[in-house]
Structures are given as C-alpha cells and as structure tokens.
Amino acid sequence: MDPDALTTFSGFAAAGSLALVAAVLTGFRERRHQRRADLDQVSLVPWQFLSAVFSMLAVILLATAAKFYFTPVS
C-alpha cells in the first residue's frame, strides 16, 4: 500500500469515526429530549437534524475510507 494512500485513508477513517461518535451522542441526546418529563422545556438545539447530518457525514467519510483501503495501488 502506498504511504500517501495510507495517510489519506487514515484521515478519512479518523474523521468518519469522529462523525460516528458525534452521531451516536446526538442520537442519545435526541432520545433524551423526546422522553423528557416536562414537555414545556424545549431545546434550542435541533438534535434530530444534527444526528441526521452527522450520520450521513459518517457514512460518506467511512465509505470513502473503505474505498481508499480496498483500491489497489498500481
């Protein structure tokens, strides 16, 4: 494997992993927001939107990392 390709793979894999962690955390926060006891306490942060954005970003980045990992270097 080419060292430049490994560096590119590492960057996409690290960014995708961080996006995945952020998606999981925002998903838990959205679940907590949906199950709150006092319905009058609304959140100013759009947790559902952030969870969707981070999930899509994680899928795209990890798929790109997989492409770099499995593409043969000629």
Side-chain angles (χ1 to χ4, degrees), residues 20-72:
L20 184 63
V21 168
V24 169
L25 291 176
T26 55
F28 282 137
R29 186 66 180 124
E30 171 61 23
R31 183 175 189 276
R32 187 173 171 203
H33 175 71
Q34 290 293 328
R35 298 173 57 90
R36 67 191 184 277
D38 186 8
L39 295 178
D40 291 333
Q41 287 184 333
V42 294
S43 176
L44 296 176
V45 180
W47 293 111
Q48 189 174 13
F49 173 73
L50 288 176
S51 179
V53 167
F54 281 125
S55 296
M56 287 185 282
L57 188 62
V59 167
I60 291 168
L61 289 171
L62 291 174
T64 306
K67 179 184 175 219
F68 280 116
Y69 185 76
F70 290 114
T71 302

